[in-house]
Amino acid sequence: MPRTSPHGTWTSPISAADVAAAGGGAQWLDVVDGDVWWAEARPEEGGRLAVVRADGTELLPAPWNARNRVHEYGGRPWLAMGRALYFTHWDDQRVYVRDLDTGAVTPVTPEPPRPQGIRYGDLRPGPDGEVWAVRETSTGPRRTDIERDLVAFAQGETRSLAASHHFLTAPQLSPDGRHAAWLGWNHPAMPWDEAELCVAEVRPGGAFGPHRVLTGGAGVSVCQLEWESPETLLALADPGGWWNLHRVGLDGGLTTLAPVEQELGGALWKLGSRWFTPLGGGRHAVLSSGRLAVLDEHAGTVTTVVPELTEWAPALAVTDGQVAGIAAAPDREGGIVRVDLATGTVTPIVSSAEELPVDYLPVPEERIFEGPDSERIPAYVYPPTNPGFVAPEGELAPYVVHVHGGPTGRNYPTMDLDFAYFTSRGIGVVAVNYGGSTGYGRAYRERLREQWGVVDVRDCVVVARALVAEGIADPARLAIRGGSAGGFTSAAAMTMADTFAAGTVKYPILDLLRWTGEGGETHDFESRYLDSLVGPLPGARERYIERSPLTHAGELTGPVLFLQGLEDQICPPDQADRFVKSLQGKGIPHAYLTFAGEQHGFRKAETMATALEAELSFYGQVFGFDPPGVPRLELQR
């Protein structure tokens, strides 16, 4: 018989430590000689990225850490060639090679003149045992003082191959070795705005000739390329408003293999992402808005496979005729699986977390809400779920609106232990794919063009109020939470709307004008992002000021919790520091927790657990319940 207890006071077997342990998992999966390899994030080791194999062999043991800082979000950090494992090491950002027979580790690139001043990522095979990569070089004191080129490593030497654009990725050699292809784009565009597919001859000695642009640019984004033959490439591009798979000839001819109003690609936040892989015979494994599908170019169809797996990481690979990848479902977090496309059989290789009681895990309900102009706003509702408790009759649940980052990102209908930590204690969560989210075509992404801080806030408010109108959520106990761009939207909603009584703001953007541009506080990759999200400077200067949460800090509608990594190069602590300083002595309850050794997003187990417990205590104090077993967070005024 369930006990009757107020929302927020339910006891749960899902601890903050459990959530932190599941906060790592697999990344950068590939197949090497028929075996599945991947990079594995380990929160209990400070977030170190190991490289492991499906049989459990650790191919890159401590203290090596296969992370890199290219674009600050990182790029493909490892490459196996023969019995050698090339990898980027976090501490100094150099490339190293590990002999898999002897275990010996040798540096490949020279020590940079300043710590982490030269970074490498997106490692790819080149000709004759070379490794190709993207090199990012710091040229001055500002975070935007960056140059990039494509480079080759061989015989202890590093040489530049191309610098066609300010941003470059995906250098790949044609099957006959005569050409190289890559992607490039320039400020102020982001790669999902436009990117060009370039090709150049590889001359004797390995130098590249002048490049030609085969497709992309001028409002067309290309997010992945693969050579198909010496004369043709396959590319995910969106000339029709959706990332579809195309065949591209060296003459620039472009053929859509299966025209569909589906997103088969995604936002290129991390260099080396892979949304498709050829299967042979005119068939290709693709990701359709995160779900695995098979594109048959002869039939012109895209058919979803195992739809119960609702999110696949963009890291598809083929082994023994099966597709291997990192997949999650509504009833479980991400793990590594193989899928037999002929039968649809799914074989788990490894799970990313220990099994938890399924009765305590909420099943996301996919919903479409309607905005004020009849626009569709997709969201996933995670209701309070605990078999041991019910709320007192008539008590509505507190609800937290979760805002994804990016803002060019999205939520998926998958199990999320971060959410389950709250729902198993009686607090509902709703994850909103507001205007600007990926997965719904370019037109939906561009709902946010020059409207950041308006459309995203409005969509989150619409969803929260709809849950109240349906009698699901308590109108007096609504909160909003998010990190990075989601932190901006959360703070903006707390200062420019009257819907939310509490907000959790993680590693946020709060002062738009000082964050952006060449002299701004953020890194190079996103330093011109706001040209499209808010408007070009200097013309839109007043808009930057008006939309900044810092401008309206004195107008908060309720208490706010700030969580910040002190080594964050994307949303530096200066942003949160100024906001919190402006609150001192104003009587507005708030808390500000900072974490040494953390960058953008939290990777250490102790950080993740502390932040989650602080957030629960915060909601309890604001909403009037006492969550058991959680240290009390001290609020300032």
Side-chain angles (χ1 to χ4, degrees):
M1 176 75 68
R3 290 173 51 193
T4 300
S5 187
H7 287 285
T9 66
W10 304 352
T11 57
S12 168
I14 302 173
S15 69
D18 292 327
V19 180
Q27 307 173 22
W28 301 114
L29 178 144
D30 211 335
V31 169
V32 179
D33 295 330
D35 288 329
V36 178
W37 295 21
W38 64 91
E40 184 173 277
R42 296 182 171 174
E44 72 280 3
E45 297 182 39
R48 182 179 78 88
L49 272 187
V51 177
V52 296
R53 195 168 60 197
D55 63 4
T57 301
E58 186 168 349
L59 301 160
L60 190 66
W64 304 107
N65 183 358
R67 280 182 63 201
N68 58 69
R69 281 185 54 187
V70 173
H71 291 191
E72 297 298 344
Y73 293 103
R76 186 180 298 194
W78 68 269
L79 172 69
M81 295 179 64
R83 299 297 299 162
L85 173 63
Y86 292 84
F87 65 95
T88 58
H89 180 49
W90 173 259
D91 289 358
D92 58 12
Q93 295 295 303
R94 298 168 72 184
V95 176
Y96 290 80
V97 60
R98 183 171 191 254
D99 187 310
L100 295 175
D101 294 318
T102 68
V105 176
T106 306
V108 174
T109 59
E111 186 173 351
R114 53 184 287 192
Q116 298 194 343
I118 302 177
R119 286 90 72 167
Y120 302 88
D122 202 6
L123 307 186
R124 309 270 185 157
D128 304 321
E130 285 187 345
V131 175
W132 287 356
V134 177
R135 177 170 61 183
E136 189 174 79
T137 304
S138 176
T139 60
R142 301 178 302 178
R143 292 185 174 97
T144 52
D145 291 333
I146 298 291
E147 293 179 349
R148 293 177 190 83
D149 60 350
L150 302 178
V151 296
F153 316 128
Q155 288 82 47
E157 296 182 356
T158 302
R159 73 176 195 282
S160 182
L161 296 172
S164 59
H165 297 70
H166 189 58
F167 299 97
L168 308 106
T169 187
Q172 294 177 56
L173 183 68
S174 64
D176 62 0
R178 295 179 58 194
H179 292 90
W182 65 92
L183 301 179
W185 67 95
N186 292 311
H187 279 144
M190 298 299 285
W192 42 86
D193 297 324
E194 58 185 52
E196 296 180 329
L197 193 167
C198 305
V199 66
E201 286 188 52
V202 178
R203 292 174 170 171
F208 288 4
H211 77 277
R212 296 180 291 121
V213 175
L214 298 184
T215 191
V220 175
S221 165
V222 185
C223 60
Q224 183 188 342
L225 70 93
E226 303 287 341
W227 282 98
E228 180 184 42
S229 75
E231 302 297 327
T232 59
L233 300 102
L234 299 172
L236 285 171
D238 69 344
W242 299 83
W243 278 304
N244 278 195
L245 189 58
H246 297 78
R247 178 170 288 112
V248 186
L250 290 182
D251 60 357
L254 189 71
T255 303
T256 311
L257 301 188
V260 289
E261 291 191 350
Q262 299 176 36
E263 291 284 41
L264 308 186
L268 193 60
W269 284 101
K270 294 188 175 184
L271 303 184
S273 296
R274 189 165 53 218
W275 290 270
F276 82 88
T277 188
L279 298 170
R283 300 169 74 244
H284 311 270
V286 298
L287 295 184
S288 176
S289 295
R291 284 179 164 91
L292 181 65
V294 172
L295 183 153
D296 187 326
E297 61 181 274
H298 302 301
T301 57
V302 176
T303 306
T304 302
V305 182
V306 289
E308 63 271 20
L309 296 176
T310 50
E311 179 189 6
W312 287 71
L316 295 181
V318 176
T319 173
D320 296 328
Q322 299 182 337
V323 174
I326 306 162
D331 59 352
R332 63 181 182 273
E333 287 205 313
I336 301 172
V337 300
R338 293 177 189 252
V339 174
D340 186 324
L341 297 177
T343 64
T345 302
V346 178
T347 304
I349 296 176
V350 65
S351 175
S352 63
E354 295 181 5
E355 293 295 326
L356 292 169
V358 68
D359 290 347
Y360 292 85
L361 304 179
V363 177
E365 177 189 355
E366 191 164 359
R367 297 284 306 276
I368 301 292
F369 296 90
E370 186 173 311
D373 298 321
S374 299
E375 64 270 31
R376 292 159 57 87
I377 307 169
Y380 304 106
V381 178
Y382 294 76
T385 305
N386 188 315
F389 290 90
V390 294
E393 185 175 354
E395 184 190 18
L396 294 174
Y399 257 81
V400 178
V401 171
H402 176 78
V403 190
H404 66 69
T408 311
R410 63 161 297 168
N411 297 297
Y412 291 92
T414 59
M415 169 45 52
D416 189 316
L417 284 187
D418 194 62
F419 295 171
Y421 181 78
F422 296 111
T423 59
S424 63
R425 289 167 169 80
I427 304 167
V429 176
V430 57
V432 181
N433 282 338
Y434 50 86
S437 301
T438 56
Y440 309 98
R442 180 178 282 264
Y444 194 80
R445 288 202 310 277
E446 294 189 347
R447 278 190 61 211
L448 209 57
R449 184 165 290 274
E450 298 194 359
Q451 294 297 308
W452 196 35
V454 178
V455 166
D456 48 327
V457 171
R458 184 180 64 194
D459 286 0
C460 290
V461 166
V462 164
V463 170
R465 289 178 175 173
L467 295 180
V468 169
E470 294 173 9
I472 293 173
D474 185 341
R477 296 194 293 176
L478 295 173
I480 189 166
R481 73 191 297 258
S484 189
F488 165 81
T489 300
S490 298
M494 290 296 298
T495 55
M496 302 180 207
D498 59 2
T499 301
F500 301 103
T504 297
V505 178
K506 301 186 288 186
Y507 33 93
I509 305 162
L510 300 167
D511 183 352
L512 297 177
L513 199 57
R514 291 178 68 175
W515 184 79
T516 194
E518 290 185 5
E521 294 171 339
T522 194
H523 63 141
D524 184 54
F525 176 57
E526 292 179 86
S527 63
R528 298 291 300 278
Y529 196 4
L530 301 194
D531 281 40
S532 61
L533 291 176
V534 182
L537 289 170
R541 187 176 189 278
E542 291 306 312
R543 192 184 299 163
Y544 278 68
I545 296 170
E546 176 58 27
R547 298 235 190 117
S548 292
L550 181 63
T551 302
H552 306 280
E555 303 166 34
L556 282 167
T557 59
V560 179
L561 167 63
F562 294 92
L563 302 168
Q564 178 71 50
L566 291 178
E567 295 181 7
D568 195 336
Q569 299 296 315
I570 297 172
C571 297
D574 313 60
Q575 294 267 316
D577 290 348
R578 289 198 295 276
F579 197 106
V580 172
K581 185 177 181 180
S582 75
L583 299 180
Q584 292 175 0
K586 292 186 177 177
I588 301 172
H590 64 277
Y592 183 28
L593 301 185
T594 59
F595 301 96
E598 293 284 9
Q599 295 88 42
H600 196 63
F602 301 147
R603 292 171 177 83
K604 298 180 179 180
E606 60 268 28
T607 300
M608 290 187 275
T610 298
L612 203 54
E613 290 180 340
E615 189 176 355
L616 179 59
S617 174
F618 172 66
Y619 295 144
Q621 292 180 61
V622 177
F623 293 151
F625 59 79
D626 187 15
V630 175
R632 184 175 177 83
L633 175 70
E634 189 70 29
L635 297 181
Q636 307 295 317
R637 293 181 182 273

